[in-house]
Amino acid sequence: MQPVLFTIGKISIFSWGLMLAIAVVVAIIGISRLFDREGYERDMVLDLVMLCVIFGIIGARIAYVFTYDWAAFLSEPLMLFRLQDGGIRGMAWYGGLVGGLIPFIIYLRKKNLSFWKVADMFAPYLALGYALVRIGCFLNGCCYGNITESACGVVFPAVDAYHRHPTQLYSSALNILLFIILISFYPRRKFPGQIFLLYVIGYSVYRFIVEFFRSNEIFIGLLSIGQVYTLALLVLALLAYYWIKSRHQEGV
């Protein structure tokens, strides 16, 4: 693992932060091209991406703390945004999704733009950005998997000496595949919101499967808490998909 890639003087470059920065740059470039193709003002892309990243990180941190560190938060509320080893430790994706969507929706409503059409342009790069950030997780040595004897096993020295599933790399590979599918299907989309909802559905399916290999602390019955949230998200996305599709077919 390589949490710190290199140090220049007193400044350390952390792998997770660098991969997040790369993901942001890649997203801005890719989404800007789609904005140009669809006739939108590309100047809005930077605003939207930065709003989603900043509030997404805040939402992800809040969701993680409320789920896993509630007792610690009650005893010390300021721990919510405590920096450790150059970054914020402990974030939950579903909190990041909600946190990022709130300013995204508000911004688009102020601009009088369609949420679904713009979300469709963002969706492929959500998958690609997630794939890049998960590489940062692997280098950082967090979000690791269960102990395994398979050939895929990797030792995370900061955790223990056992071979574990590199679930970060599984996530990265599957999200790159999801990106390829979404960006290829984008020109053939049938209705506004289709690409975004396919992203949420694809993410939910992938995450539910990977959770079986990932190390988890909280279970509800046989399922991890992540799988429970993921199933709920999948149901909501499927209902929204068929509702919007039927409305489109009816010409509403």
Side-chain angles (χ1 to χ4, degrees):
M1 305 305 104
Q2 193 72 29
V4 179
L5 293 177
F6 54 89
T7 301
I8 303 175
K10 295 183 178 181
I11 300 176
S12 296
I13 305 300
F14 291 84
S15 53
W16 190 89
L18 179 62
M19 294 310 299
L20 174 62
I22 293 173
V24 169
V25 172
V26 169
I28 290 172
I29 294 172
I31 297 168
S32 294
R33 290 175 178 173
L34 290 181
F35 265 51
D36 287 341
R37 186 189 307 174
E38 300 297 331
Y40 287 79
E41 296 179 14
R42 66 156 50 207
D43 292 342
M44 294 187 295
V45 175
L46 179 60
D47 294 339
L48 282 168
V49 170
M50 295 311 298
L51 282 171
C52 289
V53 170
I54 293 170
F55 285 91
I57 289 175
I58 294 172
R61 179 58 179 161
I62 291 173
Y64 180 89
V65 169
F66 280 21
T67 302
Y68 298 100
D69 283 336
W70 179 246
F73 171 75
L74 290 178
S75 62
E76 186 186 354
L78 291 180
M79 61 82 65
L80 186 64
F81 298 113
R82 180 190 298 150
L83 296 178
Q84 299 177 10
D85 300 326
I88 297 175
R89 288 296 184 94
M91 290 186 281
W93 178 88
Y94 45 86
L97 178 65
V98 174
L101 277 177
I102 292 173
F104 186 83
I105 293 171
I106 293 173
Y107 185 96
L108 293 179
R109 293 195 69 172
K110 287 186 175 181
K111 294 288 185 178
N112 198 29
L113 296 174
S114 166
F115 166 80
W116 294 115
K117 290 181 180 179
V118 178
D120 278 346
M121 290 185 276
F122 270 70
Y125 292 95
L126 285 174
L128 182 57
Y130 187 91
L132 293 171
V133 171
R134 279 305 186 196
I135 294 174
C137 290
F138 178 75
L139 293 172
N140 192 48
C142 60
C143 308
Y144 46 83
N146 294 320
I147 296 172
T148 179
E149 295 181 358
S150 73
C152 296
V154 174
V155 175
F156 294 86
V159 182
D160 52 36
Y162 295 105
H163 286 79
R164 293 176 174 273
H165 284 289
T167 45
Q168 315 95 325
L169 299 185
Y170 300 166
S171 299
S172 183
L174 290 171
N175 274 273
I176 288 174
L177 176 61
L178 182 57
F179 164 75
I180 293 171
I181 293 171
L182 294 175
I183 202 69
S184 299
F185 188 64
Y186 179 82
R188 300 189 295 276
R189 64 198 183 282
K190 303 299 183 183
F191 55 88
Q194 185 177 27
I195 303 300
F196 176 74
L197 291 171
L198 285 176
Y199 161 71
V200 178
I201 292 168
Y203 174 89
S204 300
V205 172
Y206 123 77
R207 183 61 183 268
F208 184 84
I209 295 171
V210 169
E211 281 288 306
F212 285 112
F213 303 94
R214 185 172 172 175
S215 178
N216 285 288
E217 301 175 9
I218 301 176
F219 286 84
I220 300 176
L222 297 176
L223 301 179
S224 71
I225 192 167
Q227 288 174 314
V228 173
Y229 284 130
T230 296
L231 280 178
L233 185 64
L234 177 60
V235 171
L236 289 174
L238 286 171
L239 291 174
Y241 185 94
Y242 287 106
W243 178 66
I244 295 174
K245 180 181 178 181
S246 64
R247 286 172 60 85
H248 177 76
Q249 291 173 340
E250 294 170 0
V252 178

